[in-house]
Amino acid sequence: MRAAVFRGPRDVRIENVDDPEAPADGEVVLEVLRAAICGTDASEWDHGPVLSRPGVVLGHEFVGRVAAVGERVISLGVGDRVVSGAGISCGHCRWCVGGRTNLCTEYRTLGLQVDGGLAEYATSPASICRLVPDTCDDDAAAMTQPLAVALHALSRVAQQPGDDVAVIGAGGIGSFIVAGAVSRAGGGRVVAIDLDEDRLATARALGADQTADARGRALDELLLELSDGVGFDVVVEASGAPDAPAAAIAGTRRGGRALFVGLHNGPRELDLTRTILREVDIVTTVAHVCDTDIPAALELLAATNVAAITIGPRIALDALVDDGLRPLAERRATGKIVVAP
Ligand SMILES: [Zn+2]
Ligand SMILES: [Zn+2]
């Protein structure tokens, strides 16, 4: 089969590799219908291996049709259209038992440590696959995993109806966080902040009540200005910009929550005394929990036009580097790029 293999920095090749073996106990082989790519794939291509290992088939956001089922798979059958979550967890460590499978001590991600979905076929544990509703087309279904990451982030701050939410960084995950926050806003305001007018336009289309261009602005001042000086109930830092963590805390209301989603390439300075004296909670989030976040994401995709608003170019597997990974790494891409293997 054809597959996108990560070989090293700036070296992802579309190669002929062996078809997957017959699925093991509890596994399914999927014929991949669509795979989406994100900044993680682009950074592996650009300066990897960061999280992956050379030789791995990339792709952690994908939808496919079940082509073969292993022993003891009772929930799925051949022909079912399913999305796969990205994280494989052990099922028996204290975090798995507690439902926090994303923190599993043996957590491995498809498309980074284990062969993923940027290929004609991919193997997944049946336990992390979910049936796709008929109202959700293949392109939309390919966005399930990143939307699940966004919904997991929001579940970490327990957004309440009426909460005013600001999202710093309306890119890949940030735009899905805007969509999720809008769906749960219950009368609260959702404000998106970015440096890019296209991203802000997408955020407005997704239902953001207000957007703000942060170019040439101090982020902390901008957040206070957008909240009449009192700050937001929840500020989501999804940009990774150096000044954003401190600004997120400064822009959070007394007793509110600052949620850190974006990864940073170095330590950042925070004013802890001001954080403590205002009882601002600092919350973090990583990846998603398949059991809860994947169904929630599918439900949102089936019920809204989030996918239609966020989708970008649809490309062939052979065009992955030139029309997918490179423009993403160079921040020239607009919209979610989906690949049809
Ligand atoms: Zn991703
Ligand atoms: Zn575990």
Side-chain angles (χ1 to χ4, degrees):
M1 67 168 181
R2 306 280 287 159
V5 181
F6 172 76
R7 290 290 170 197
R10 297 259 161 169
D11 189 6
V12 169
R13 298 180 210 164
I14 312 305
E15 298 181 0
N16 286 313
V17 303
D18 291 342
D19 283 351
E21 292 173 10
D25 279 10
E27 288 182 343
V28 292
V29 172
L30 305 178
E31 179 192 358
V32 178
L33 298 168
R34 289 283 189 284
I37 59 172
C38 74
T40 301
D41 304 298
S43 71
E44 292 298 329
W45 169 76
D46 186 47
H47 52 268
V50 181
L51 302 166
S52 72
R53 58 169 178 81
V56 80
V57 175
L58 293 172
H60 56 273
E61 310 176 355
F62 59 98
V63 53
R65 201 172 284 289
V66 176
V69 297
E71 296 287 327
R72 294 191 290 118
V73 174
I74 48 171
S75 54
L76 300 173
V78 170
D80 284 345
R81 194 169 61 115
V82 300
V83 289
S84 174
I88 301 176
S89 46
C90 76
H92 51 73
C93 71
R94 67 176 290 175
W95 289 273
C96 283
V97 169
R100 300 183 75 176
T101 52
N102 58 323
L103 304 182
C104 174
T105 52
E106 291 170 34
Y107 195 80
R108 291 169 304 151
T109 304
L110 285 162
L112 292 173
Q113 293 96 37
V114 182
D115 285 347
L118 281 164
E120 290 177 88
Y121 292 92
T123 302
S124 285
S127 59
I128 63 169
C129 293
R130 292 292 179 276
L131 284 171
V132 178
D134 290 341
T135 49
C136 200
D137 66 22
D138 293 341
D139 291 329
M143 298 183 195
T144 305
Q145 192 273 348
L147 183 58
V149 170
L151 296 182
H152 181 74
L154 288 169
S155 72
R156 294 277 298 145
V157 283
Q159 179 192 2
Q160 301 297 311
D163 276 351
D164 289 338
V165 178
V167 181
I168 304 170
I173 292 297
S175 60
F176 286 130
I177 289 176
V178 168
V182 165
S183 76
R184 301 169 179 192
R189 271 194 328 141
V190 177
V191 177
I193 299 169
D194 203 284
L195 305 170
D196 181 292
E197 187 43 50
D198 287 340
R199 289 176 167 195
L200 294 174
T202 299
R204 286 191 293 276
L206 289 168
D209 298 285
Q210 194 176 354
T211 57
D213 188 334
R215 274 177 296 187
R217 297 292 315 266
L219 260 181
D220 50 354
E221 287 171 18
L222 181 58
L223 282 159
L224 289 173
E225 190 180 297
L226 290 164
S227 58
D228 295 327
V230 297
F232 291 84
D233 297 292
V234 174
V235 177
V236 184
E237 198 310 89
S239 72
D243 58 336
I249 290 173
T252 300
R253 183 173 288 186
R254 290 168 164 268
R257 289 91 81 206
L259 171 65
F260 293 154
V261 183
L263 295 178
H264 292 261
N265 54 19
R268 306 293 184 217
E269 204 164 281
L270 301 176
D271 184 343
L272 290 178
T273 298
R274 236 178 88 71
T275 311
I276 293 163
L277 294 179
R278 299 184 306 121
E279 274 194 358
V280 167
D281 290 339
I282 296 177
V283 183
T284 64
T285 181
V286 69
H288 63 283
V289 172
C290 290
D291 277 354
T292 49
D293 302 317
I294 295 285
L298 277 171
E299 198 175 306
L300 191 60
L301 288 165
T304 66
N305 56 359
V306 166
I309 294 166
T310 50
I311 196 165
R314 186 187 302 123
I315 64 174
L317 191 58
D318 282 325
L320 178 69
V321 172
D322 287 341
D323 297 341
L325 299 174
R326 190 187 308 274
L328 251 182
E330 293 173 356
R331 300 181 176 277
R332 288 187 283 113
T334 39
K336 190 76 178 165
I337 299 171
V338 294
V339 182

